[in-house]
Amino acid sequence: MRRPPILAWLFVGALLTFLFAPVVCVVLFSFNDSAAAGPPIKGLTLSWYREIFTNVEYTDALRNSLQVALISASCSVVAGTAAALALVRLPRRITAVLAGFFVVPMVVPALFIGVALLSFFTRIGFELSLQAVIVGHIIVTLPLVIALIGARLQNLDLSMLEAARDLGASGPQAFARVLLPLIAPAIVSAALLSIATSADEFIISLFVNGGDQTVPVVIFGGLRTGVTPAINALASTILAATVLATLIAGRLVSLRDVAR
Amino acid sequence: MSVTEARPGATAARGGRRGQGPGGRRRLGAGGRRALALGLQVGPATAFVAFFLLAPLVVFFLYSLWRVRDYEIVAEWNLDAYKQALTDDSYRRLLWNTIKIAGGASLLSAGLAFAFAHTLRFKLRRWQEPLLFAVVIAMFSGYLVRVYAWRTLLGDSGIVNSALRGLGITSEPLSFLLFNRGAAIVVLANFLIPLAVLPVYAALQNVRDAEIEAARDLGCGSWGTFWRVTAPLAWPGIFFSWALAFLAAAGDYVVPQLVGGANGTMVGVVITDTFQTDYNFPRGAALAFTTLLVSLTIIGIVRFVGGKVLR
């Protein structure tokens, strides 16, 4: 028997601790019964959560974030699934060009997308608002949807569709009864990860919100006066939503398919 | 809402460009109908990204060549903003500082991401999926949170300093933990590592056991196998991870703003100020494109050199 890889576990443990330390810290201090968002822990309370669900500034932000996440994820999933379906069947040359095209939103830093959108919207007279934020979030979630669903489609034998057609199914029937059930898990996980991405997106929202603040924008605004337990509770609420979405998404698709 | 309105319009335009009016559709052969269907499927997403990302980037670029007069942007073509970005001492220092921080953070991230993916692939095979999943969760858990929490962790009255004081190791808080270049690098790495892990992990999946064994059989030691087999095969993934991390770091605003302090400031902060407080869009745009150009140049050089060295 090989000896257990202790060093490997030590390294992996240290790295994961580093990655999760800030998250744990924020969640922990959101329950702290003290006006200061730091040590010592004086006792546990839910009062900060009561505050964020009653204070209008926070509830507005939560409602805005929810609305933006649901609308942008829906748009991205519909347009992205359609695009992914076309990309696997288009001639290879066109697919390569389009795949490169859809990577652009992933590699351009979000700050540049934010200021570019701000310049563009003010130029064409598009009012800065939640709609503008939704546009920005569709831009960043579309590539994610296309990548996730594209990965799933690449592992499918698309000749099944032709078989369905040969057996008398119409195009829409073949899609709804054969293809859709096969890619449904990927679609759901793409939707969930889009929601998580949108709920967490900060920079683009900061530039184009025009006063309709989402949760991360409110958190950032609150940080000017220092970290407060209410801010931690607000952040933890979003964290709970994004982590839950990611957990479910991860159950639905194989990570190996995606990391390829 | 104009978002949804834009879509069908764009789709119709795309179909129309192919010269297929509503009446002409019946006359199409099977090939034409298929092409139309594919076009309709990929059209909305393409049109959306073209209209709301490429067009904004073009406008943004044009702004960098224009001028502000009486708080209005006027189309007077000039390169003053670029000249200022490249010659003004404070901007040059800023750019250099940005490169140093982004360089440090991206190397740290790509390095740790590679070590992590390598450990998963070769040492902890049975645990690959859950461990990778943990990193994916980290990737989706709070960008802003991962930055500002470090104030609670490392601040003067934060967890680390309280613990050190409680244990009697220090009497004064260690204030060098935050608000400097090193802190900016560490905090950037904290949210860049998860992004960097996936491409490297994917690349390491391309290294097959048979290839490693063949190298061993042919007399390569561990180091030889690593440098001659694993590293060259994984290089595209490593490079992509590093480049992604470098670009994301070079364009970051939150980290320098919240934990960077005086010597940890970066271009992103100044770009944001020019847009939010100075309303000098041309200057901000020129700074952004200068940063992008410098970053892409560095990335190009690394790609060239890395490709030559790891063959």
Side-chain angles (χ1 to χ4, degrees), chain B residues 56-213:
Chain B
L57 286 171
V58 169
V59 169
F60 190 46
F61 180 64
L62 291 179
Y63 274 7
S64 75
L65 300 168
W66 293 352
R67 204 190 294 279
V68 173
R69 196 168 295 237
D70 300 330
Y71 300 102
E72 292 267 345
I73 295 163
V74 285
E76 285 176 26
W77 301 87
N78 70 91
L79 287 171
D80 293 358
Y82 284 98
K83 236 174 266 163
Q84 192 184 20
L86 289 167
T87 55
D88 188 305
D89 257 359
S90 65
Y91 284 136
R92 271 165 58 172
R93 264 202 306 275
L94 185 70
L95 209 55
W96 178 229
N97 212 31
T98 303
I99 292 165
K100 277 195 282 194
I101 294 172
S106 57
L107 283 176
L108 188 63
S109 308
L112 287 173
F114 179 76
F116 183 81
H118 193 270
T119 309
L120 254 59
R121 169 74 181 79
F122 294 105
K123 296 277 171 22
L124 304 173
R125 275 167 198 242
R126 288 181 51 199
W127 300 91
Q128 283 187 74
E129 294 239 351
L131 288 172
L132 192 65
F133 190 40
V135 170
V136 173
I137 291 176
M139 186 157 83
F140 286 97
S141 59
Y143 161 68
L144 210 49
V145 164
R146 313 190 82 78
V147 181
Y148 88 73
W150 290 96
R151 287 179 156 192
T152 312
L153 281 161
L154 301 179
D156 281 354
S157 55
I159 295 175
V160 170
N161 273 319
S162 304
L164 289 175
R165 230 170 322 162
L167 294 169
I169 298 170
T170 56
S171 51
E172 294 288 310
L174 304 174
S175 54
F176 63 83
L177 293 175
L178 265 190
F179 308 122
N180 55 54
R181 197 179 293 149
I185 290 177
V186 170
V187 176
L188 278 168
N190 187 260
F191 73 79
L192 291 173
I193 287 171
L195 288 177
V197 165
L198 280 185
V200 184
Y201 178 83
L204 281 173
Q205 297 299 308
N206 293 333
V207 185
R208 274 167 301 188
D209 289 341
E211 287 162 331
I212 304 270
E213 278 159 28

Side-chain angles (χ1 to χ4, degrees), chain A residues 2 5 8-9 11-12 15-16 18-23 25-26 29 37-39 71 75-76 79-80 82-83 85-87 89-90 98 101-102 104-109 111-113 115-124 126 131 134-135 138-139 142 144 146 193 196-197 200 202-203 206-207 216-217 219-220 223 226-227 231-232 235 239 242-243 246-247 250-251 254-256 259-260, chain B residues 1-4 7 34 38 41-42 44-46 48-57 59-60 63 66 73 112 115-116 119-120 122-125 127-129 131-146 148-153 157-159 162 186 189-190 193-194 198 201-202 205 240 244 247-248 251-254 257-258 268 271-272 275-276 281 288 291-292:
Chain A
R2 288 186 339 163
W9 276 115
F11 168 69
V12 166
L15 193 76
L16 289 178
F18 173 59
L19 292 184
F20 284 99
V23 178
C25 164
V26 162
F29 285 106
I71 297 177
C75 294
S76 282
L85 283 169
L87 284 178
R89 287 177 295 163
L90 280 165
L98 282 176
F101 176 74
F102 286 120
V104 173
M106 279 173 143
V107 293
V108 176
L111 174 70
F112 295 178
I113 299 181
V115 283
L117 274 177
L118 173 65
S119 310
F120 184 63
F121 287 152
T122 48
R123 188 89 208 161
I124 65 171
F126 189 108
Q131 270 104 54
I134 290 169
V135 168
I138 294 175
I139 290 290
L142 248 183
L144 188 73
I146 294 177
L193 293 182
T197 305
D200 203 38
F202 165 63
I203 299 271
L206 175 73
F207 283 104
V217 178
I219 293 176
F220 187 74
L223 290 176
V227 186
I231 291 289
N232 279 336
L239 269 174
T242 57
V243 169
T246 315
L247 277 171
R251 301 279 305 189
S254 160
L255 282 173
R256 278 163 194 250
R260 193 171 276 169
Chain B
M1 196 188 63
S2 59
V3 182
T4 39
R7 289 154 165 267
R34 189 182 137 89
L38 289 175
Q41 284 170 27
V42 82
T46 313
F48 193 88
V49 174
F51 189 74
F52 285 116
L53 184 64
L54 297 194
L57 286 171
V59 169
F60 190 46
Y63 274 7
W66 293 352
I73 295 163
L112 287 173
F116 183 81
T119 309
L120 254 59
F122 294 105
K123 296 277 171 22
L124 304 173
R125 275 167 198 242
W127 300 91
Q128 283 187 74
E129 294 239 351
L131 288 172
L132 192 65
F133 190 40
V135 170
V136 173
I137 291 176
M139 186 157 83
F140 286 97
S141 59
Y143 161 68
L144 210 49
V145 164
R146 313 190 82 78
Y148 88 73
W150 290 96
R151 287 179 156 192
T152 312
L153 281 161
S157 55
I159 295 175
S162 304
V186 170
N190 187 260
I193 287 171
L198 280 185
Y201 178 83
Q205 297 299 308
F240 185 75
L244 199 65
L247 270 179
D252 196 61
Y253 160 66
V254 176
Q257 178 75 8
L258 291 182
I271 293 174
T272 306
F275 275 87
Q276 293 206 315
F281 287 21
T291 311
L292 203 58

Side-chain angles (χ1 to χ4, degrees), chain A residues 158-188:
Chain A
L158 291 177
S159 60
M160 274 182 298
L161 279 177
E162 280 154 41
R165 298 293 295 273
D166 288 346
L167 293 169
S170 68
Q173 271 178 335
F175 173 75
R177 314 256 306 255
V178 178
L179 193 58
L180 203 56
L182 286 167
I183 60 172
I187 292 178
V188 176

